[in-house]
């Protein structure tokens, strides 16, 4: 089995149900041929050409073949923190170790790519490179640095008479300061710039209905990041934050707690993708009391609950592109990222739409749809094989025991077959 599969020999998964990640009709008795790091062919098993007969066949009957899952909103350093202050108290050394352990958990859950949208120091860049170099196991990481937000805004946790050291965020005020931090982060190797344009439930000062960055600051950051070929993700929970982000041409609006008709219209006329992060909401509603989360955090979330779901419902109805991001790690543990699909379905997406949001839709949000997120010839062979049918019950994706194989760039990197092979070796 997988221990016999070396990268040189073509690998053919056969007799599985193929879901292409693009929303096309599933192929019930399908095959997928992988050569090297690339998907060569996908089709009905009956049409598998004899020329492919030299490939190593892996029979996956009764199982589903999907693109490797993608999470657009993760925080690798989060590890059971209950407040932003707790995150800021975490030493960078501890944060680095946590991030490495969390990356492996996410990979084992079938996620072959993640975007980290805010870490302590420059941990996500370091973890991204360590994974790419094969030093540690984990998904491909699209890395951000610290979250950029204004004084007293999203990530400001300390009174001004306390000196700020290396936390989750970096305060910047005015277009010039914001641009300077963006440039510093680009020098430090980020792929993505994360801005906090509104308050956040978990923050001590600013509320989610407050827009804390000016439109000029946001425009300056987006312009500078795009000039360098980097993407921009913007935390938007207020009405104006979303509109500022959309007008500035942000790549993604994160959370989208408050979206009015004008915002939805801006989505439709631009290229910005909505990452609704329903796990952010439901983890607080579900665990807020048990974890003794701060009153502001829980009270704001209760107010935001109907607004959030209504914003998503109207955006979805209007055809706004949606990508999955679980904001995982703060309350739900890393590796339970696929909870987000369950919440998306609960919020009105079909199971197929939730899968698209976690594959090609997510790749689109990361501006990587040319290589990732779909099972089609020429794409990178990032693949998950799961025992069960997520179209019948989306929750099967949350059951790690059902994950048979995870391929990353054509290599078997996780799944129960991989684990069995490791145990034998
Ligand atoms: Zn987040």
């Amino acid at each position: 089995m997988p221990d016999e599969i070396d990268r040189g020999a073509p690998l053919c998964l056969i007799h599985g149900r193929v879901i292409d990640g693009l929303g096309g009709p599933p192929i019930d008795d399908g095959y997928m041929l992988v050569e090297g790091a690339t998907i060569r062919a996908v089709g009905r098993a009956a049409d598998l050409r004899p020329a492919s007969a030299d490939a190593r066949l892996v029979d996956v009957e009764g199982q589903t073949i999907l693109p490797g899952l993608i999470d657009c909103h993760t925080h690798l350093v989060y590890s059971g923190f209950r407040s932003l202050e707790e995150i800021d108290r975490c030493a960078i050394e501890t944060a680095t170790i946590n991030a490495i352990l969390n990356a492996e958990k996410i990979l084992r859950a079938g996620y072959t790519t993640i975007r980290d949208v805010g870490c302590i120091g420059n941990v996500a860049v370091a973890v991204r490179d360590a994974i790419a170099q094969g030093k540690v196991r984990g998904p491909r990481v699209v890395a951000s640095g610290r979250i950029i937000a204004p004084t007293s805004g999203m990530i400001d946790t300390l009174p001004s008479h306390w000196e700020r050291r290396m936390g989750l965020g970096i305060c910047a005020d005015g277009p010039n300061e914001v641009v300077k931090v963006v440039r510093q982060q680009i020098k430090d190797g980020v792929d993505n710039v994360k801005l906090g344009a509104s308050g956040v439930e978990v923050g001590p000062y600013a509320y989610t209905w407050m827009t804390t960055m000016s439109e000029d600051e946001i425009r300056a950051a987006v312009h500078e990041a795009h000039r360098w070929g980097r993407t921009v993700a913007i935390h938007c929970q207020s009405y104006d934050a979303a509109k500022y982000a959309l007008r500035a041409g942000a790549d993604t609006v994160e959370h989208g707690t408050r979206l009015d008709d004008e915002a939805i219209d801006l989505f439709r006329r631009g290229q910005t993708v909505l990452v609704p992060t329903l796990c952010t909401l439901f983890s607080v509603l579900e665990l807020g009391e048990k974890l003794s989360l701060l009153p502001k955090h829980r009270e704001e979330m209760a107010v935001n609950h109907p607004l959030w779901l209504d914003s998503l419902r109207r955006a979805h109805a209007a055809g706004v592109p949606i990508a999955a991001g679980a904001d995982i790690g703060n309350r739900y543990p890393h590796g339970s990222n696929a909870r987000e699909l369950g919440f998306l379905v609960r919020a009105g997406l079909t199971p197929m739409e939730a899968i698209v949001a976690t594959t090609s839709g997510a790749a689109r949000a990361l501006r990587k749809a040319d290589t990732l997120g779909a099972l089609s010839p020429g794409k990178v062979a990032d693949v998950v094989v799961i025992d069960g049918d997520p179209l019948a019950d989306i929750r099967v994706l949350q059951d790690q025991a059902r994950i048979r194989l995870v391929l990353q760039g054509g290599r078997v990197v996780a799944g129960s077959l991989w684990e069995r092979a490791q145990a034998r070796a």
Side-chain angles (χ1 to χ4, degrees):
M1 286 305 296
D3 49 340
E4 298 162 4
I5 298 167
D6 64 78
R7 235 179 134 181
L11 164 67
C12 186
L13 305 175
I14 190 161
H15 300 309
R17 185 174 215 208
V18 178
I19 294 176
D20 65 6
L22 297 164
I27 305 169
D28 276 327
D29 182 13
Y31 78 93
M32 192 197 57
L33 183 66
V34 175
E35 221 175 84
T38 310
I39 297 170
R40 277 287 160 243
V42 180
R44 297 189 314 147
D47 298 336
L48 183 60
R49 288 181 293 118
S52 312
D54 62 326
R56 290 170 186 278
L57 294 179
V58 177
D59 192 324
V60 293
E61 196 184 340
Q63 297 163 39
T64 304
I65 308 169
L66 299 145
L69 305 177
I70 302 175
D71 191 314
C72 293
H73 191 125
T74 63
H75 298 275
L76 285 169
V77 300
Y78 281 5
S79 291
F81 302 124
R82 292 173 309 153
S83 68
L84 285 182
E85 288 92 330
E86 281 187 23
I87 300 172
D88 282 349
R89 282 175 186 274
C90 181
I92 192 164
E93 295 83 359
T94 307
T96 306
I97 292 168
N98 288 344
I100 288 168
L101 297 173
N102 291 334
E104 173 155 6
K105 288 178 192 165
I106 293 171
L107 179 71
R108 288 164 64 143
Y111 281 77
T112 50
T113 301
I114 60 165
R115 182 176 61 176
D116 187 281
V117 284
C119 62
I120 296 168
N122 210 27
V123 166
V125 165
V127 172
R128 174 197 69 194
D129 292 347
I131 291 169
Q133 293 159 8
K135 292 176 184 166
V136 296
R137 297 176 65 219
R140 299 168 199 287
V141 176
V142 174
S144 312
R146 289 187 281 168
I147 299 167
I148 306 169
T151 299
S152 79
M154 179 191 170
I155 42 70
D156 196 356
T157 57
L158 302 180
S160 49
H161 56 277
W162 288 15
E163 188 191 351
R164 168 170 284 277
R165 296 281 176 101
M166 189 67 84
L168 178 70
I170 178 160
C171 291
D173 299 285
N176 289 350
E177 273 188 35
V178 169
V179 165
K180 178 158 190 175
V181 175
V182 169
R183 288 175 176 162
Q184 284 169 337
Q185 292 195 345
I186 287 166
K187 186 170 70 167
D188 291 341
V190 303
D191 306 298
N192 178 74
V193 168
K194 171 75 179 298
L195 305 178
S198 75
V200 63
E201 296 92 354
V202 69
Y205 302 123
Y207 289 81
T208 52
W209 49 265
M210 292 168 56
T211 308
T212 53
M213 285 186 86
S214 72
E215 187 162 3
D216 284 348
E217 289 170 327
I218 293 170
R219 272 186 193 282
V222 172
H223 184 260
E224 192 60 25
H226 282 176
R227 188 214 297 277
W228 288 87
R230 267 56 168 200
T231 55
V232 183
I234 310 191
H235 170 104
C236 300
Q237 296 197 267
S238 67
Y239 289 110
D240 280 344
K243 287 185 280 195
Y244 293 174
L246 286 156
R247 284 205 286 264
D251 296 277
T252 58
V253 160
E254 307 298 307
H255 315 301
T257 306
R258 290 172 175 80
L259 300 176
D260 60 19
D261 289 344
E262 192 187 340
I264 288 171
D265 198 46
L266 286 164
F267 267 114
R268 294 172 68 186
R269 287 191 276 127
Q271 301 293 319
T272 308
V273 176
L274 173 64
V275 184
T277 69
L278 295 179
C279 283
T280 315
L281 164 67
F282 285 108
S283 61
V284 174
L285 297 180
E286 191 185 322
L287 301 173
E289 204 175 308
K290 188 175 160 206
L291 298 177
S292 307
L293 298 181
L294 296 170
K296 173 179 178 291
H297 197 177
R298 288 157 58 188
E299 286 160 15
E300 263 211 279
M301 203 57 95
V303 171
N304 289 347
H305 179 192
L307 298 169
W308 204 314
L309 294 181
D310 185 57
S311 294
L312 173 57
R313 185 185 57 72
R314 286 182 299 108
H316 178 233
V320 170
I322 292 167
D327 206 357
I328 214 73
N330 42 11
R331 293 161 295 272
Y332 294 144
H334 292 89
S336 64
N337 307 58
R339 279 174 186 259
E340 185 68 14
L341 289 97
F343 290 128
L344 287 170
V345 169
R346 221 207 267 180
L349 275 70
T350 65
M352 183 61 96
E353 287 172 331
I355 289 169
V356 169
T358 316
T359 53
S360 67
R364 174 180 175 180
L366 306 185
R367 308 307 185 210
K368 292 186 181 299
D370 53 337
T371 52
L372 301 177
L375 299 185
S376 50
K379 293 280 196 286
V380 171
D382 284 4
V383 182
V384 179
V385 178
I386 187 141
D387 187 7
D389 180 6
L391 294 178
D393 183 355
I394 198 71
R395 290 170 304 178
V396 300
L397 292 171
Q398 295 172 37
D399 184 357
Q400 214 162 295
R402 289 173 173 272
I403 296 177
R404 289 286 178 266
L405 276 178
V406 180
L407 302 188
Q408 195 179 36
R411 300 181 63 179
V412 180
V413 292
S416 57
L417 293 178
W418 180 85
E419 267 156 38
R420 231 176 284 159
Q422 293 294 304
R424 279 203 301 272

